[in-house]
Amino acid sequence: MSKLKAAGARDTSKARRKSKTAPKAAGGRKLSNWAAAQWRAARYRAGYAFKLILTVCGVLLAGTVVILTVFGQIDDVGGMMAGRAERELEQAGYTLDWLDVAGAERTGVEEIAMAVGAAPGLGLSRVDLVAARESIQSLSWVKSAEVLRLWPDRIAVLIEERQPYAVWQINQTHHVIDPDGYVIDAADPRDFLDLPRVVGEDANREAGAVIALLALHPEIRDRVTNAIRVGERRWNLRLQSGGDVLLPEDDPASALALLAAMHEERGVLDYEAQIFDLRNAGEMVMRPWPDRAAERAGRGA
């Protein structure tokens, strides 16, 4: 044995003896420090081992995903897992037993059930909420809808329906429209004869503006049978007398206010006029019926 090894052996032995006797000889504070150091070392080793396990698991999972993707089986595995989960839920009693509908006055519950795909015993997790909402919103009376899954056995449907606002005549055909100009195909115009009537191309989209203006002047509104859209840019108002009020493209509100003031002052709407022309700002030109003017001229002669 060489001296180097022997010296090393003696040093190691002394170090070993010291490590065995050091805790006994040390005071309380030194003992606490020694225990804390041992705890930190153990915690570090445990943390390192945990990270190593996570890394290995992550590598294995990533490798599995890559393999399944390469062989085109990742979707199959996901589908199998989802299908198994759905079957487990159904066996546990999570099936559709109730369909709660709120806000549907004109929309039939049967229509909504068909749109949802509701059927007794259908697994609640199988209901596609997004597809159901889109299908419900395609119904004629439905403006918007929300579909909620309420565990364990309910689907709730909240509906906002379209409100009939006017009757739109286009190409000799009548449609009921809502305030946005949307055609409510399921509504029969004969059931809404009391609604304002608008006529012509683009009249459905602009109906709200002219109806709102007429609401400010009831004395004019009550004499109007329909509002006719001209050139998709301005309105003519057909009166019960058969005459027409020609509104300008720009600032029809001021033109109607002028007509209302002239009627209040002189009762012009009671005149036998074929045309009340308000297309020039601040002016009103009245044109009589040609045959009635000739009749009056004949009586004067």
Side-chain angles (χ1 to χ4, degrees):
M1 181 180 293
S2 67
K3 292 183 180 180
L4 178 60
K5 290 183 179 179
R10 284 195 299 272
D11 292 342
T12 302
S13 175
K14 291 179 181 178
R16 193 160 45 242
R17 286 196 299 271
K18 288 182 179 179
S19 88
K20 289 181 180 179
T21 58
K24 296 181 181 179
R29 185 171 60 83
K30 292 183 179 181
L31 179 61
S32 176
N33 292 340
W34 178 82
Q38 297 299 316
W39 169 250
R40 286 195 299 270
R43 188 172 57 181
Y44 173 79
R45 289 192 296 270
Y48 179 79
F50 182 69
K51 290 179 181 179
L52 180 61
I53 292 171
L54 286 181
T55 301
V56 172
C57 290
V59 170
L60 292 175
L61 179 60
T64 302
V65 171
V66 169
I67 293 173
L68 292 175
T69 302
V70 169
F71 288 96
Q73 296 180 343
I74 186 68
D75 292 337
D76 296 338
V77 172
M80 290 173 58
M81 294 177 65
R84 181 175 179 83
E86 289 174 350
R87 289 192 297 272
E88 292 290 342
L89 287 172
E90 290 168 16
Q91 291 173 3
Y94 293 98
T95 57
L96 179 58
D97 295 330
W98 299 91
L99 180 64
D100 297 336
V101 179
E105 296 181 3
R106 295 185 171 95
T107 307
V109 176
E110 295 79 7
E111 291 181 280
I112 298 172
M114 290 181 62
V116 173
L122 175 68
L124 205 64
S125 63
R126 296 181 185 271
V127 178
D128 187 331
L129 300 185
V130 175
R133 179 173 62 83
E134 292 176 352
S135 182
I136 293 171
Q137 289 183 163
S138 69
L139 300 176
S140 181
W141 280 107
V142 178
K143 181 177 182 180
S144 64
E146 291 294 333
V147 183
L148 307 174
R149 184 185 287 112
L150 304 179
W151 299 99
D153 58 0
R154 293 175 183 267
I155 290 292
V157 179
L158 310 177
I159 287 178
E160 179 186 0
E161 289 188 328
R162 299 183 184 278
Q163 299 303 313
Y165 184 68
V167 174
W168 173 39
Q169 179 181 338
I170 181 71
N171 297 328
Q172 306 303 314
T173 304
H174 296 80
H175 308 277
V176 178
I177 60 174
D178 73 356
D180 297 324
Y182 180 91
V183 174
I184 307 174
D185 289 323
D188 188 343
R190 292 172 295 184
D191 295 334
F192 300 95
L193 298 178
D194 57 334
L195 293 179
R197 178 178 296 182
V198 294
V199 182
E201 195 73 33
D202 193 49
N204 61 317
R205 288 188 291 271
E206 300 297 329
V210 70
I211 291 174
L213 284 178
L214 287 171
L216 300 175
H217 305 286
E219 68 280 12
I220 300 176
R221 178 199 60 198
D222 293 343
R223 296 169 181 262
V224 173
T225 59
N226 51 63
I228 305 168
R229 190 69 172 163
V230 180
E232 299 184 33
R233 58 186 179 83
R234 67 174 195 85
W235 293 97
N236 285 351
L237 305 179
R238 179 64 49 82
L239 302 176
Q240 293 173 349
S241 63
D244 287 329
V245 176
L246 280 54
L247 296 178
E249 179 179 359
D250 298 324
D251 199 10
S254 295
L256 271 181
L258 174 62
L259 178 60
M262 294 291 289
H263 178 67
E264 183 178 3
E265 181 180 346
R266 304 180 185 179
V268 294
L269 291 174
D270 294 327
Y271 294 175
E272 293 185 354
Q274 182 183 20
I275 299 294
F276 298 87
D277 193 343
L278 297 161
R279 289 175 294 177
N280 292 324
E283 298 181 3
M284 184 177 70
V285 177
M286 295 175 55
R287 301 176 189 173
W289 291 93
D291 54 341
R292 297 175 189 177
E295 182 181 347
R296 285 197 300 271
R299 285 201 301 267

